[in-house]
Amino acid sequence: MAIIRTGHRYIDIESGKVIDSWFPQSNSNQNRSCLAEKVGLIRGEFFEITIKSVEEKPLSTEEIYLRLHLISERTVKPNEINLDGIFNLLPNVAWTSAGPVFPHKVDALRSLVAREYHHLTVPSIDKFPRMTDYVIPSGVRIADADRVRLGAHLAAGTTVMHEGFINFNAGTLGESMVEGRITPGVIVGKNSDIGAGASIMGTLSGGGKQKNSIGERSLLGANAGIGISLGDECIVEAGLYVTAGTKVKTPEGDVVAARELSGKSGLLFRRNSQTGAVEVIPTDSSRWGGLNTALHNND
């Protein structure tokens, strides 16, 4: 089914190149304004765009922005939409307190907005803006908005603490605590907890094709990490990084590569404190207690 949206884009006046695009959820002509536009470095205009199929490869900056919006609006889930060529279609942008401009225009912008008694700050130079400047999903808490990119998928009941980070084409599918890093291609199931400093290998790691995930009611401990998927009711103890090739001792005494356990439920991965060997034993979410339901009632 085709998707038709009305958007507003900023264009660099000198080059005529598109800087960014915003698609209000009302799907109407909603204007934006900023000092960079007032002083003549960029201009804004309304436009309409059609995506015939989210499975087709995107062809423009505007189309990539719409696809990122669709993920953050929860219209589609991560990995359900084609983002091929995203890094070639998104320009590097200086995201400033006076509006978005190309990085080589920052000095000119600083001089021009000084007349407006504006002290220019540049929080980021990147291809991706903050999600919250474009989409505000309902029922979530985000302690530091700089750490959630446009294209992140945050289900209602998600809490992202100060050290939590969610990249584009990644996110949560239900109530979750995020204090670690959720990288592209990774999805986290309902009632799971990504501990402080923890990380999950995504599609930008290694060959870029492995799509790892975490199931429901699972815990990735503080400063832990995985290069495999976890099923439901799983735990990785704090500080343990389990890659696909990690040798793991099973309860039966066998030693297998962790990839053979990828996606299986009811497993606790831990390191034996005496031998240093990585072990796996049966477990369930009662071992770590689960999420605090009051904390994730975010409306």
Side-chain angles (χ1 to χ4, degrees):
M1 182 176 67
I3 297 173
I4 304 173
R5 292 287 289 269
T6 297
H8 182 273
R9 60 191 169 199
Y10 279 134
I11 296 172
D12 177 69
I13 287 180
E14 182 180 32
S15 66
K17 294 180 179 179
V18 174
I19 298 173
D20 81 333
S21 297
W22 172 56
F23 297 90
Q25 290 186 264
S26 62
N27 203 22
S28 60
N29 284 351
Q30 228 175 307
N31 204 4
R32 296 183 292 174
S33 61
C34 63
L35 284 175
E37 183 177 17
K38 181 179 180 180
V39 300
L41 291 185
I42 66 175
R43 63 181 174 86
E45 66 179 25
F46 298 111
F47 68 101
E48 187 175 270
I49 189 171
T50 301
I51 294 179
K52 295 181 180 179
S53 170
V54 296
E55 297 176 355
E56 294 181 0
K57 183 177 179 179
L59 300 175
S60 66
T61 299
E62 294 94 329
E63 192 174 341
I64 280 290
Y65 266 91
L66 177 51
R67 289 170 187 244
L68 295 174
H69 276 70
L70 292 173
I71 299 172
S72 291
E73 292 170 1
R74 307 170 185 152
T75 302
V76 298
K77 296 176 183 177
N79 303 319
E80 289 185 347
I81 193 167
N82 191 332
L83 298 175
D84 289 350
I86 187 170
F87 292 104
N88 291 327
L89 291 172
L90 289 178
N92 286 327
V93 175
W95 305 100
T96 84
S97 55
V101 296
F102 290 138
H104 67 278
K105 295 293 182 68
V106 169
D107 285 345
L109 178 62
R110 194 185 309 276
S111 296
L112 290 167
V113 299
R115 306 169 190 171
E116 306 290 335
Y117 294 91
H118 179 83
H119 176 73
L120 188 74
T121 59
V122 186
S124 173
I125 300 174
D126 195 11
K127 293 179 179 293
F128 297 83
R130 293 181 297 199
M131 181 192 71
T132 53
D133 290 338
Y134 293 77
V135 178
I136 302 290
S138 61
V140 305
R141 293 172 58 203
I142 303 172
D144 185 349
D146 284 340
R147 298 179 65 81
V148 181
R149 281 174 153 180
L150 180 64
H153 184 286
L154 276 65
T158 297
T159 297
V160 185
M161 298 300 289
H162 290 82
E163 291 304 312
F165 174 78
I166 304 181
N167 216 325
F168 74 97
N169 197 36
T172 62
L173 302 182
E175 294 90 343
S176 302
M177 170 63 79
V178 182
E179 298 180 89
R181 297 180 296 279
I182 303 179
T183 52
V186 173
I187 54 175
V188 175
K190 184 177 180 180
N191 292 321
S192 288
D193 188 320
I194 311 303
S199 64
I200 309 158
M201 287 187 185
T203 53
L204 297 185
S205 304
K209 296 181 179 179
Q210 182 65 35
K211 295 176 181 177
N212 293 317
S213 63
I214 292 180
E216 297 185 358
R217 303 175 302 283
S218 290
L219 169 66
L220 185 58
N223 296 314
I226 52 172
I228 61 172
S229 292
L230 299 181
D232 299 336
E233 308 266 352
C234 286
I235 303 172
V236 178
E237 75 166 9
L240 176 62
Y241 208 115
V242 182
T243 66
T246 298
K247 301 302 182 184
V248 182
K249 186 176 181 180
T250 69
E252 295 75 29
D254 299 324
V255 177
V256 301
R259 64 172 58 90
E260 296 184 33
L261 304 172
S262 182
K264 294 186 176 181
S265 298
L267 300 178
L268 164 61
F269 293 86
R270 67 184 185 184
R271 188 177 297 279
N272 188 299
S273 61
Q274 294 180 318
T275 67
V278 178
E279 303 173 337
V280 62
I281 61 173
T283 193
D284 58 53
S285 59
S286 65
R287 193 177 184 104
W288 65 280
L291 296 179
N292 181 335
T293 55
L295 182 65
H296 299 277
N297 184 13
N298 292 334
D299 288 329

